Amino acid sequence: MADKLYFVGTIEAIFFSNPANFYKVLLLAITDTNADFKDDEIVVNGIIGDVVEGDSYKFFGELTNHPKYGEQLKVTTYEKDVPTSGAGLVKYLYSEHFPGIGKKTAEKIVATFPEDTIDHILETPEHLSGILSSEKLAAFVKRLSENHGMEKILSKLAKYELPSKLNFQIYDLYKEATLDVIKENPYQLVFDIKGIGFKKADKIAEDEGISATSDARIQAGLIHTVLTHSLESGDTYIEARDLLNQTIDLLESARNVEILADQVAEMINVLLAEGKLQAIGTKLFENSLYFAEDDIYQRLDKLTNSKVTKLAQDKFETIIGDVEAKLEIRYDSLQKEAIYKALTHQFFILTGGPGTGKTTVIKGIVQAYANLNHLDLNPDNYTDDVFPIVQLAPTGRAARRMNELTGLPAATIHRQLGLNSDDLEDDFGNDLSGSLLIVDEFSMVDTWLANKLFAAILPSMTVIFVGDADQLPSVGPGQVFADLLKIPDFATVRLDKIFRQGEGSTITNLAHDIKNGQLPADFTDKKADRSYIESKAVNIPNYIEQIASAWMKRGNDPFDLQVLIPMYKGVAGINQVNKSLQNLFNPLADRLEFLFQDTIFRQDDKVLHLVNEASLDVFNGDIGVITDLVPAKYTESKQDEIVMSFDGNEVSYPRAEWYKITLAYAMSIHKSQGSEFPSVIVPMVASYHRMLERNLLYTAITRAKQSLILLGEGQSFQTAVSRQGANRKTYLVERFGLTTTSDQTATRSEASPVKETVIETVIIDKTAFKEVVSDQATSDKLAVESIGQDAKAAPYVLTMENVLMIDPMIGMTAEDVAVFSKS
Ligand SMILES: Nc1ncnc2c1ncn2[C@@H]1O[C@H](COP(=O)(O)OP(=O)(O)OP(=O)(O)O)[C@@H](O)[C@H]1O
């Protein structure tokens, strides 16, 4: 095999350094190389740790040819270049790098370890205790490992083929212990390093010869499964039995091995005992979701008990009269009830479908609240004081719409709380200020974000949540809004009368029909504001192109036409439609374009922001336009950059951050939540199969304000309407001591709230269980009848409650349970 290509030299200058991902571009004065390279300097780039200008390093990598700058070295690994033996090494050790080491000491050190000197010092420094005092030795080893440890460790980490950025994160956390951690328990990385999931850790473990049945592997598999399940299903917990089975599937398929259920059950108990997993009965929770749900409950519980303010009916009528005069509207009785409840309760929830007057009621609440509390609603008059009304929404677009409709300031939850990214774990968030908080589009708020929001609410605040519970639930786990609506202790109003109807909108009526589970008889008829075109999946892009082309010919703004699709992939998927609409609306012509993965970006393209970036004031779901493409040679980042405008807010991203954007001619229905568009095209075909659900279709069509074109297969629309979609499994309602009985209500159960009842999970060895019960048929029957578990499954997962139910039938005591319980 050919020798690896290397360049040795002194760093002359560091041109660019990105602290976030360790990407660097530097200039090296070459002293040695095995490459056929004529110049005496070379530009080196790649993921490189803390290097020092003026010091010498050896860089390994490959030569690449940059069209403008010529040949460069793209680094794979590197190490500090130091003499490895003899006089050169002695000189290095008593250089300015190691204060306190004189020439004599340096000679003694090299004499102690004549071969691989630096490695030996780092591995067994105690051999130098006769040469250096313990203090001096510690300082020397620290210096040496700072100078050499990192490169050595990183070069060893390279064999695991992780992205370099992760290698640096790993080193940053474990420092000198890095290689030991990885050798002994690479699964620790799953717990400690974001971006390392079970599969990556498992691959390392396999390379290190760690057994596929090790306890550490099973624990990591469990933690991986419990979180993945919540992220994929939206549930905040998983049933112990499902966790057991899914983890076994994962562990067995990732490495060809048989995993025993008993061992997995035992590891569940270990994780529970160590607090790395939480349980309520047989429901098992990933830690952050358990504590977020519990904190929400604790805070809500206080609001439930908050006092009701008295407001005499005649006084209220006077206020409403004033408000109606000011806003030139007459509220109907349910809307008035909403305003009354909002004024008299500390916590109030308003829900309703499109056009039922939610915004109109919010405006009324704000006016009436200001009236009642003698507040000035002009924000400009609050230069020194805090404006008392806080309006928030989960997306930038929804916040802007709130601001436009009410004329008062509105912000995203992330921005107001100072949460900088989607990763909420490390963000603490600011407290809110003001006296009345209104949060719109609350159905989009997941359990983690709701928890951060509740934590920021001052005890004195009046809180109003507004949303449409029939829309899609939040992207992240939980269904906080739908759950809150089930709790009878909270003051709620469900608006159901459609006011937009009088304005000739048939879209709103269609939305309400779909919400109620039916397609109206005139579904395919052409109306003033909506139409239907029958089409097979393969023809969808073609039809959309024809509609879009006619749209343009009529002189309409391409940005006002939005295609909403459930899926990215496939012939009728978002990616395909984006390509064809980009060619129509914004063709190549004779100009620059950038290619990123499969997507081409051009100036004037419509783009969608995919993550929350509060520091730049751009958010998940924001739509913008590309205003400029800047080639790397003109940018500070030395990378190509895309400049965009999101409603006038200019943002520029270097290539490394382009994963945060995509084309937006077509976008996912999930990402469209919280936004509205003048004209919307919604295709529905059988190839979207498992996505076809009622709240998905409902969310899509309620985005259309003026016109709607439905496109696809009639049967697929029918399927979507008839599939109600499973309710997410969450435990928020039950924490109030309630039992969910239907979609919309919950009743007070006999049991007291969970905080007072500790229900223990017991995982029981099946064989031992049968021994106690003695008779196989009885034990199987009992298992099925009393715990609803398949008698073939092993082990049994029971709660103490179940055990006590079994108790009278088989004469078993709590002590007996303890004998065969694995915990
Ligand atoms: N009491 C009322 N009398 C007359 N018109 C009303 C009344 N309430 C609401 N409207 C009108 O109905 C239309 C829809 O109201 P509004 O925008 O407040 O509903 P919404 O529930 O916020 O709708 P969406 O969720 O679709 O934005 C508006 O034009 C509004 O002026």
Side-chain angles (χ1 to χ4, degrees), residues 8 70 74 84 100 236 247 249 258 308 321 338 355 383 431 455 475 491 561 614 631 709 727 738 746 748 798 810 812:
V8 181
K74 189 158 181 22
T84 48
T236 56
T247 306
D249 283 352
E258 191 191 347
V308 176
T383 42
D431 273 351
V475 174
L561 180 69
I709 299 173
N727 251 337
L738 299 165
R748 186 78 55 202
L798 297 96
I810 58 173
M812 196 164 53

Coordinates of all heavy atoms in Angstrom, one line a residue, residues 8 70 74 84 100 236 247 249 258 308 321 338 355 383 431 455 475 491 561 614 631 709 727 738 746 748 798 810 812:
V8 N 4.8 18.1 6.2 CA 5.3 18.6 7.5 C 5.7 20.1 7.3 O 6.2 20.4 6.3 CB 6.5 17.8 8.0 CG1 7.0 18.3 9.4 CG2 6.2 16.3 8.1
G70 N -5.8 26.8 -6.6 CA -4.9 25.7 -7.0 C -4.9 24.6 -6.0 O -5.9 24.4 -5.3
K74 N -6.4 18.7 1.8 CA -7.6 18.4 2.7 C -7.2 17.4 3.7 O -6.9 16.3 3.4 CB -8.7 17.9 1.8 CG -10.0 17.9 2.5 CD -11.2 17.9 1.5 CE -12.5 17.9 2.2 NZ -12.6 18.3 3.5
T84 N 11.7 12.8 17.6 CA 11.3 11.6 18.3 C 12.4 11.0 19.2 O 12.1 10.2 20.0 CB 10.8 10.5 17.4 OG1 11.7 10.3 16.3 CG2 9.4 10.9 16.8
G100 N 10.4 25.2 33.4 CA 10.8 24.5 34.6 C 11.6 23.2 34.2 O 12.2 22.5 35.1
T236 N -45.3 10.2 24.9 CA -44.3 10.6 25.9 C -43.8 9.4 26.7 O -42.9 9.6 27.5 CB -44.8 11.7 26.8 OG1 -46.0 11.2 27.5 CG2 -45.1 13.0 26.1
T247 N -36.6 -3.3 21.9 CA -35.1 -3.3 22.2 C -34.5 -4.6 21.8 O -33.4 -4.6 21.2 CB -34.9 -3.0 23.7 OG1 -35.6 -1.8 24.1 CG2 -33.4 -2.8 24.0
D249 N -35.5 -6.5 19.4 CA -35.4 -6.4 17.9 C -34.2 -5.6 17.5 O -33.5 -6.0 16.6 CB -36.7 -5.7 17.3 CG -37.9 -6.6 17.3 OD1 -37.7 -7.8 17.6 OD2 -39.0 -6.2 17.0
E258 N -28.6 -13.7 19.9 CA -29.9 -13.8 20.6 C -29.8 -13.1 21.9 O -28.9 -13.2 22.7 CB -30.2 -15.3 20.8 CG -31.6 -15.5 21.3 CD -31.9 -16.9 21.8 OE1 -31.1 -17.8 21.5 OE2 -32.9 -17.1 22.4
V308 N -60.7 32.7 41.1 CA -61.6 33.3 40.1 C -61.9 34.7 40.4 O -62.4 35.0 41.6 CB -62.8 32.5 39.9 CG1 -63.7 33.1 38.8 CG2 -62.5 31.0 39.6
G321 N -69.9 46.3 25.6 CA -70.5 47.3 24.8 C -69.4 48.3 24.2 O -69.4 48.6 23.0
A338 N -66.4 33.5 26.1 CA -65.0 33.4 26.1 C -64.3 34.6 26.7 O -63.4 34.5 27.5 CB -64.5 33.2 24.6
G355 N -62.1 30.3 11.0 CA -63.2 31.3 10.8 C -64.2 31.3 11.9 O -65.3 31.8 11.7
T383 N -42.0 53.4 27.1 CA -40.6 53.5 26.9 C -39.8 53.0 28.2 O -38.8 52.3 28.0 CB -40.1 54.9 26.6 OG1 -40.8 55.8 27.4 CG2 -40.4 55.2 25.1
D431 N -37.4 34.6 32.2 CA -38.7 34.7 32.7 C -39.5 35.7 31.8 O -38.9 36.5 31.2 CB -38.7 35.3 34.1 CG -38.6 34.1 35.1 OD1 -38.7 33.0 34.7 OD2 -38.4 34.4 36.3
A455 N -42.4 27.3 32.8 CA -41.4 27.7 33.8 C -41.2 29.2 33.8 O -40.7 29.8 34.7 CB -40.1 26.9 33.5
V475 N -44.8 18.7 16.3 CA -43.9 17.8 15.7 C -43.2 17.0 16.8 O -43.0 15.8 16.6 CB -42.9 18.6 14.8 CG1 -41.8 17.7 14.3 CG2 -43.6 19.3 13.7
A491 N -60.8 26.6 32.7 CA -61.9 27.3 31.9 C -61.6 27.3 30.5 O -60.5 27.6 30.0 CB -61.9 28.8 32.4
L561 N -48.6 31.3 -4.3 CA -49.1 29.9 -4.6 C -48.3 28.9 -3.8 O -47.1 28.8 -4.0 CB -49.0 29.7 -6.1 CG -49.6 28.3 -6.5 CD1 -51.1 28.2 -6.3 CD2 -49.2 28.0 -7.9
A614 N -33.1 31.3 16.9 CA -33.6 32.6 17.5 C -32.7 33.7 17.4 O -33.0 34.9 17.3 CB -34.0 32.3 18.9
P631 N -19.9 33.5 -4.0 CA -18.8 32.5 -4.1 C -17.8 32.6 -3.0 O -17.5 33.7 -2.5 CB -18.2 32.7 -5.5 CG -19.1 33.5 -6.2 CD -19.8 34.4 -5.2
I709 N -56.9 24.3 -4.4 CA -57.1 23.3 -5.5 C -56.7 22.0 -4.9 O -55.6 21.8 -4.4 CB -56.2 23.7 -6.7 CG1 -56.6 25.0 -7.3 CG2 -56.3 22.6 -7.7 CD1 -55.7 25.5 -8.3
N727 N -54.6 8.6 18.9 CA -54.3 9.6 19.9 C -52.9 9.3 20.4 O -52.5 8.2 20.6 CB -55.3 9.5 21.0 CG -56.2 10.7 21.0 OD1 -55.9 11.8 20.5 ND2 -57.3 10.5 21.6
L738 N -57.1 12.1 36.6 CA -58.2 11.9 35.7 C -58.0 10.7 34.8 O -56.8 10.3 34.5 CB -58.3 13.2 34.8 CG -58.6 14.5 35.5 CD1 -58.3 15.7 34.6 CD2 -60.0 14.5 36.0
A746 N -62.1 14.1 30.0 CA -61.5 13.2 31.0 C -62.3 13.2 32.3 O -62.9 14.3 32.6 CB -60.1 13.6 31.3
R748 N -62.7 12.4 36.6 CA -61.9 12.2 37.8 C -62.0 10.7 38.2 O -63.1 10.1 38.2 CB -62.6 13.1 38.9 CG -61.9 13.1 40.2 CD -60.7 14.1 40.2 NE -61.0 15.4 39.8 CZ -60.0 16.2 39.3 NH1 -58.8 15.8 39.2 NH2 -60.3 17.5 39.0
L798 N -45.4 -6.4 35.3 CA -46.5 -6.1 36.1 C -46.3 -4.9 37.0 O -45.2 -4.5 37.2 CB -46.8 -7.3 37.1 CG -47.2 -8.6 36.6 CD1 -45.9 -9.5 36.5 CD2 -48.2 -9.3 37.5
I810 N -54.3 -16.3 44.0 CA -53.3 -17.4 44.1 C -52.7 -17.4 45.5 O -51.8 -18.2 45.8 CB -52.2 -17.4 43.1 CG1 -51.5 -16.0 43.2 CG2 -52.8 -17.6 41.7 CD1 -50.3 -16.0 42.3
M812 N -50.9 -15.2 47.1 CA -49.6 -14.8 47.1 C -49.4 -13.5 47.9 O -50.3 -12.6 47.9 CB -49.2 -14.5 45.6 CG -47.7 -14.4 45.4 SD -47.3 -14.5 43.6 CE -48.3 -13.3 43.0

